[in-house]
Amino acid sequence: MRVVVPYAAREPKTRLEGVLSPAERASFAAAMLEDVLAAVRGAGREPEVLATAPVDVDAPVTVDERPLTPAVNAALAGTDGAVAVVMADLALATPEALADLFEADAGVALVPGRGGGTNALVARHPGFRVDYHGTSYLDHRRIAREVGASVDVVDSHRLATDVDEREDLAEVLIHGASDPPNADGAPTERRSYEWLDAAGFELAGDESRVGVVRE
């Protein structure tokens, strides 16, 4: 199985511009990418990065400056066999959660994100193509039906949590600090959690909602 991790190397995470400077957004996005790559490897797969510009990571990198949909569709069209697509901002991804996705044997397996997006998928049907505009989860279910592919929905809090907004940072601080140990019993290294902690972010909230503040 080919595992593709799309990555916006130019001006990443623009919706965090009220919280982080451009340089900080780039650094934090790189930390999340490293967490995703580590989780893919922990699930027994070798990831490759599909980036909009060259990036320095310990994985093969394909540079494609096109928007997400045509870039991913080119990867699907150019591959014989199953292709997994895992977004680079799944800061809480674990090998166990990804293994559940990779092992799904439907023609298309989908991980819905909050708000109707698609955070990860596995395409085994050769006719399936993506469309990441709008409510892509519903679009991908429709596309799968149109090409005659069976569909599995993988329900995973860790894979459903993508980090785009300020409130998403709280999820990283809550769950990144309590990751289960690795298979060898060692503590899980969560670079995105460590980045936020070092940058002075901490949890704060009232009785109804938890958010983040920065020291």
Side-chain angles (χ1 to χ4, degrees), residues 12 18 20 22 45 62 75 80 83 88 95 107 113 137 140-141 148 152 156 162 172 180 198 200:
L20 301 173
R45 305 289 179 175
T62 298
D80 292 327
V83 180
Y137 168 66
H140 290 149
R141 291 188 66 119
D152 269 354
S156 167
D162 52 334
V172 181

Side-chain angles (χ1 to χ4, degrees), residues 3-9 12-13 29 32-33 36-37 40 47-53 55 60-62 64 66-69 71-73 75 83-90 118-121 130 132:
V3 181
V4 176
V5 181
Y7 181 62
K13 295 293 139 195
M32 290 194 291
L33 173 62
V36 171
L37 297 179
V40 172
E48 58 182 275
V49 178
L50 180 63
T52 56
V55 292
V61 177
T62 298
D64 192 326
R66 291 177 292 180
L68 180 61
T69 294
V72 171
N73 280 335
V83 180
V85 182
V86 181
M87 294 303 162
D89 61 354
L90 306 186
T118 305
N119 285 1
L121 63 84
V130 299
Y132 284 105

Side-chain angles (χ1 to χ4, degrees), residues 1-2 45 76 79-84 98-109 121-129 147 149-150 152:
M1 177 187 296
R2 185 181 180 191
R45 305 289 179 175
L76 292 173
T79 306
D80 292 327
V83 180
L98 286 173
D100 288 343
L101 170 65
F102 298 156
E103 291 166 8
D105 59 3
V108 178
L121 63 84
V122 171
R124 300 183 186 277
H125 192 289
F128 180 78
R129 296 294 182 268
V147 301
S150 59
D152 269 354

